[in-house]
């Protein structure tokens, strides 16, 4: 007979090591539960191992549909990149300036007042902050697909406001409202990408979001370049109107896509999660029977969620700041903040310095197009770099390189000549390439890998909102930094952003862990054990350890796992 002072869960574990026919410690029913729990945990462990060692070729053959659906949903980000760049570029677009600007007799030209430029630039960030928080609450209740479809319908309606805006005040309202659905796009697309694909494809599908940003900016720059010579009345409305071509096709794609199986598991819909997984898989020489793999993936998700639930009670925003989650929340939030405060805002002003060097407005748009092409090429390069280097290696290396470029840019700012302006503009083009091959895209992968499964969407939202809050501050101070009638720093602004890049590199070294090749279960274990950031890469962990899990979730948890499995099996048989 077991010692009465021995913990119940330890007793359960010890029982698995003795004769299963023994009636001294556990009855036959409990033994049956434990035997089935052992099968489920072993199934989950084997699937996690298979996921960890899956090759890129095998991943593409087994999950081609998962990649396709992820790409379709992430395409929604193109709209945000398009509009944000469109609005910033409109300030030098003659027809837009005549409509929403004011006439300055002393300069004999129209200009959008600085206060309205700042307000419009901040409007989208404000809307996105609100939209992100709402998206987290709504998606937890109704799922990713329905939330995204609703957001796309909102975009369709709100475009009418900016298209027909009679004055700058109405335009401001329209941009704030458009920020609401864009907030949903920012978090749900990357979360979905990370949850429907295996570990080997996670980087490619999450960093594709960065490519969508760049594609949106590139499209808007090309359209504006083409519209510069137009004599059409209210020609600025054409770029706004072109936004209507996106929502409906993407909404149809989202409607046809399977729901995130991780979300379905979190809300207790295991049978639907399995159906969703079956739709994501394709049979091949590596996976001759996809139902076997689907069952194993369901078991892994169930065990991961159950183990996390044993140490945290809820999935509210407040839970992200509790002791067991605060480290993951902090690192995720700072990762996205670093992306925004280390020169990414500065690189958008390359054309500003080219114009100062004597380049025409038309040619400045051409250089904007070149900049975004470099950004797109950089994102593609990050995919090749990731095959050889880890997430931390690429992010940290890119950050250090950005710091050097920015500090050199600041030095050129001390020289007053057209040649120096050409040099600054060219360095910022180089900065764009470095940023979009390292910090820019890798950030999207990291922010989905660092949070816990239970709190992934909530943590991504908190991180992106810190990004947006910093964006509001940057939108306020950047015009002052560059404007010769204000602080007048000009290219010396590079010293400011370069200094922040140096500080961020130091933080990165001590706080950012290496997540390459790690499954979600392994990352949970590493954070739970408190492994330091620089030891993540080489620390071996044993996930889904039966003894550890039985102690953690208890007898009631074991029964829940087994009963859920029975219910799932019965549902499939009825279907």
């Amino acid at each position: 007979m077991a010692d009465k002072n021995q913990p119940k869960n330890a007793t359960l574990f010890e029982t698995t090591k003795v004769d299963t026919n023994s009636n001294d410690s556990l009855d036959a029913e409990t033994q049956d539960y434990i035997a089935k729990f052992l099968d489920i945990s072993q199934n989950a462990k084997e699937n996690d191992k298979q996921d960890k060692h899956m090759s890129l070729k095998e991943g593409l053959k087994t999950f081609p549909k998962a990649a396709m659906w992820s790409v379709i949903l992430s395409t929604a980000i193109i709209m945000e990149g398009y509009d944000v760049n469109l609005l910033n570029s409109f300030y030098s677009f003659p027809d837009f300036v005549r409509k929403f600007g004011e006439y300055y007799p002393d300069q004999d030209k129209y200009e959008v007042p600085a206060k309205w430029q700042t307000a419009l630039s901040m409007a989208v960030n404000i809307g996105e902050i609100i939209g992100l928080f709402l998206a987290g609450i709504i998606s937890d209740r109704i799922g990713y697909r329905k939330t995204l479809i609703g957001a796309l319908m909102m975009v369709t309606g709100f475009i009418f406001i900016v298209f027909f805006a009679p004055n700058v005040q109405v335009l401001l309202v329209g941009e704030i409202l458009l920020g609401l659905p864009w907030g949903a796009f920012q978090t749900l697309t990357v979360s979905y990408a990370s949850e429907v694909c295996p570990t080997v494809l996670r980087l490619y599908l999450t960093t594709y979001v960065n490519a969508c940003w760049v594609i949106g900016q590139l499209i808007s720059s090309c359209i504006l370049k083409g519209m510069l010579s137009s004599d059409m009345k209210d020609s600025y409305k054409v770029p706004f109107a072109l936004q209507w071509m996106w929502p409906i096709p993407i909404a149809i794609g989202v409607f046809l896509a399977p729901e995130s199986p991780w979300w379905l598991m979190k809300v207790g819909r295991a049978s639907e999660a399995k159906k969703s997984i079956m739709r994501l898989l394709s049979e091949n020489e590596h996976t001759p029977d996809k139902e076997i793999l689907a069952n194993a993936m369901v078991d892994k998700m169930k065990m991961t969620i159950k183990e996390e639930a044993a140490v945290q009670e809820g999935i509210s925003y407040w839970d992200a700041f509790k002791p067991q989650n605060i480290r993951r929340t902090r690192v995720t939030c700072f990762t996205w903040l670093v992306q925004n405060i280390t020169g990414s805002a500065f690189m958008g002003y390359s054309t500003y310095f080219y114009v100062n060097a004597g380049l025409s407005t038309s040619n400045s748009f051409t250089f904007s197009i070149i900049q975004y092409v470099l950004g797109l090429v950089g994102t593609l390069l990050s995919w090749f770099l990731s095959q050889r280097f880890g997430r931390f290696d690429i992010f940290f290396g890119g950050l250090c390189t950005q710091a050097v470029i920015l500090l050199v840019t600041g030095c050129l700012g001390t020289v007053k000549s057209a040649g120096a302006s050409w040099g600054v503009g060219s360095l910022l083009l180089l900065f764009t390439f470095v940023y979009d091959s390292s910090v820019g895209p890798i950030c999207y992968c990291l922010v989905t890998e660092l949070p816990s499964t239970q709190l992934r969407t909530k943590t991504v939202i908190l991180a992106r909102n810190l990004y947006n809050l910093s964006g509001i501050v940057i939108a306020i101070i950047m015009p002052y930094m560059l404007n010769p009638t204000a602080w007048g720093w000009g290219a010396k602004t590079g010293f400011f952003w370069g200094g922040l890049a140096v500080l961020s590199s130091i933080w990165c070294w001590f706080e950012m862990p290496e997540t390459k090749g790690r499954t979600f279960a392994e990352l949970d274990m590493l954070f739970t054990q408190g492994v330091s950031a620089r030891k993540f890469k080489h620390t071996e962990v044993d996930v889904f350890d039966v003894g550890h899990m039985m102690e953690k979730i208890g007898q009631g948890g074991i029964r829940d796992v087994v009963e859920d499995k029975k219910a799932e099996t019965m549902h499939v048989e009825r279907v």
Side-chain angles (χ1 to χ4, degrees):
M1 192 79 173
D3 186 353
K4 291 182 180 180
N5 295 323
Q6 187 179 11
K8 182 184 293 185
N9 297 329
T11 305
L12 287 174
F13 179 48
E14 291 300 325
T15 307
T16 65
K17 299 180 180 179
V18 300
D19 182 4
T20 55
N21 293 320
S22 173
N23 293 318
D24 293 334
S25 56
L26 293 173
D27 57 30
E29 182 184 9
T30 305
Q31 292 180 47
D32 183 55
Y33 274 117
I34 291 177
K36 290 177 178 177
F37 178 80
L38 291 173
D39 289 339
I40 294 171
S41 61
Q42 184 61 31
N43 204 21
K45 189 169 187 173
E46 290 176 358
N47 178 255
D48 199 70
K49 184 178 180 181
Q50 180 186 0
D51 183 15
K52 180 179 176 65
H53 295 99
M54 184 179 290
S55 67
L56 178 59
K57 182 179 179 181
E58 182 182 348
L60 290 171
K61 282 190 171 184
T62 308
F63 291 87
K65 289 181 281 189
M68 178 191 71
W69 293 122
S70 174
V71 166
I72 290 173
L73 267 68
S74 297
T75 302
I77 293 291
I78 292 177
M79 289 188 293
E80 183 186 3
Y82 176 95
D83 189 88
V84 171
N85 183 65
L86 189 69
L87 189 62
N88 291 332
S89 300
F90 266 154
Y91 301 142
S92 56
F93 193 76
D95 198 48
F96 180 88
V97 172
R98 281 193 298 271
K99 174 68 176 180
F100 297 104
E102 296 177 7
Y103 181 70
Y104 291 84
D106 54 328
Q107 301 179 26
D108 191 29
K109 66 177 182 178
Y110 284 87
E111 287 280 357
V112 177
K115 65 177 182 180
W116 282 111
Q117 288 190 32
T118 301
L120 288 169
S121 298
M122 292 169 56
V124 174
N125 285 326
I126 292 171
E128 286 174 347
I129 290 171
I130 299 170
L132 277 161
F133 279 124
L134 292 176
I137 297 169
I138 296 170
S139 64
D140 274 348
R141 296 185 180 182
I142 67 174
Y144 295 1
R145 290 170 59 253
K146 291 180 180 178
T147 306
L148 281 172
I149 290 172
L152 287 162
M153 295 303 99
M154 290 172 66
V155 169
T156 304
F158 294 151
I159 291 173
F160 281 96
I161 298 177
V162 296
F163 183 83
F164 290 107
N167 51 54
V168 71
Q169 290 86 352
V170 175
L171 182 64
L172 177 70
V173 172
E175 290 296 331
I176 292 174
L177 292 175
L178 278 170
L180 298 176
W182 287 335
F185 299 157
Q186 287 180 342
T187 179
L188 298 183
T189 53
V190 290
S191 295
Y192 184 89
S194 69
E195 293 181 359
V196 299
C197 65
T199 302
V200 70
L201 296 181
R202 196 186 300 151
L203 178 131
Y204 302 98
L205 296 179
T206 52
T207 56
Y208 172 71
V209 172
N210 188 75
C212 289
W213 253 94
V214 178
I215 291 169
Q217 295 171 323
L218 178 61
I219 292 172
S220 65
S221 293
C222 290
I223 290 171
L224 285 173
K225 169 74 173 175
M227 295 298 298
L228 275 175
S229 58
S230 173
D231 56 0
M232 181 191 308
K233 182 183 178 182
D234 292 339
S235 60
Y236 73 89
K237 289 188 175 183
V238 174
F240 277 140
L242 288 174
Q243 293 181 92
W244 273 311
M245 71 180 181
W246 296 104
I248 301 301
I250 296 175
I252 294 172
V254 175
F255 176 77
L256 296 174
E259 183 56 85
S260 165
W262 281 97
W263 177 79
L264 290 168
M265 288 298 297
K266 283 188 284 186
V267 296
R269 292 154 62 176
S271 59
E272 292 180 51
K274 181 181 175 180
K275 288 180 182 178
S276 180
I277 292 170
M278 293 285 284
R279 290 187 59 196
L280 296 170
L281 296 173
S282 294
E283 293 181 347
N284 55 78
E285 67 270 24
H286 305 289
T287 310
D289 186 350
K290 64 182 183 181
E291 186 167 1
I292 295 176
L293 179 56
N295 285 328
M297 290 177 67
V298 168
D299 287 343
K300 182 178 73 171
M301 292 176 185
K302 186 181 302 176
M303 299 294 280
T304 302
I305 292 170
K306 196 70 180 178
E307 191 169 11
E308 283 189 6
V311 296
Q312 60 186 42
E313 296 179 358
I315 53 172
S316 67
Y317 285 110
W318 177 246
D319 289 300
F321 296 98
K322 290 184 177 179
Q324 63 268 29
N325 293 312
I326 186 62
R327 180 189 177 193
R328 304 181 81 161
T329 302
R330 182 180 68 247
V331 177
T332 306
C333 289
F334 273 62
T335 297
W336 227 331
L337 177 66
V338 166
Q339 189 202 45
N340 205 23
I341 64 169
T342 53
S344 61
F346 193 33
M347 71 183 180
Y349 287 87
S350 61
T351 54
Y352 171 86
F353 292 100
Y354 281 133
V355 171
N356 282 353
L359 197 68
S360 68
T361 302
S362 176
N363 284 332
S364 71
F365 276 101
T366 301
F367 272 89
S368 293
I369 293 170
I370 293 172
Q371 180 176 13
Y372 296 129
V373 170
L374 285 172
L376 188 57
V377 172
T379 302
L380 297 176
L381 176 63
S382 72
W383 293 357
F384 292 97
L385 291 174
S386 67
Q387 295 179 18
R388 180 166 184 155
F389 303 103
R391 322 279 202 252
F392 167 81
D393 299 328
I394 300 172
F395 194 97
F396 181 74
L399 200 54
C400 292
T401 307
Q402 287 177 203
V404 172
I405 294 172
L406 288 167
L407 292 174
V408 172
T409 301
C411 291
L412 285 178
T414 62
V415 180
K416 303 295 183 182
S417 69
S421 288
W422 278 100
V424 170
S426 300
L427 278 174
L428 292 181
L429 287 179
L430 175 62
F431 179 94
T432 300
F433 179 74
V434 172
Y435 168 87
D436 280 308
S437 61
S438 56
V439 174
I442 298 301
C443 174
Y444 287 97
C445 181
L446 284 168
V447 296
T448 62
E449 293 179 325
L450 293 168
S452 68
T453 299
Q454 291 277 69
L455 291 166
R456 181 174 296 116
T457 301
K458 293 287 197 306
T459 309
V460 171
I461 286 169
L462 290 168
R464 186 66 187 187
N465 267 342
L466 182 59
Y467 173 99
N468 287 330
L469 284 170
S470 67
I472 291 174
V473 176
I474 291 170
I476 294 173
I477 65 174
M478 275 301 290
Y480 287 95
M481 288 178 172
L482 296 177
N483 197 321
T485 61
W487 301 346
W489 293 3
K492 291 193 289 288
T493 304
F495 288 129
F496 177 81
W497 299 117
L500 287 177
V502 170
L503 293 175
S504 297
S505 299
I506 296 171
W507 168 84
C508 187
W509 177 263
F510 289 104
E511 279 268 78
M512 181 179 288
E514 179 55 75
T515 59
K516 181 182 180 180
R518 295 292 191 180
T519 64
F520 288 139
E522 287 182 318
L523 289 169
D524 284 348
M525 186 69 68
L526 288 165
F527 276 110
T528 300
Q529 293 176 354
V531 176
S532 64
R534 297 283 56 80
K535 293 181 180 179
F536 257 60
K537 185 175 182 178
H538 302 292
T539 302
E540 296 292 332
V541 291
D542 184 18
V543 297
F544 302 117
D545 177 77
V546 177
H548 175 75
M549 289 196 67
M550 291 175 73
E551 291 177 9
K552 185 179 286 188
I553 69 176
Q555 185 173 354
I558 293 172
R559 289 178 179 271
D560 289 343
V561 169
V562 176
E563 289 298 333
D564 288 345
K565 184 69 175 178
K566 286 181 180 178
E568 175 198 333
T569 304
M570 291 175 64
H571 182 273
V572 172
E573 289 176 351
R574 285 198 300 269
V575 174

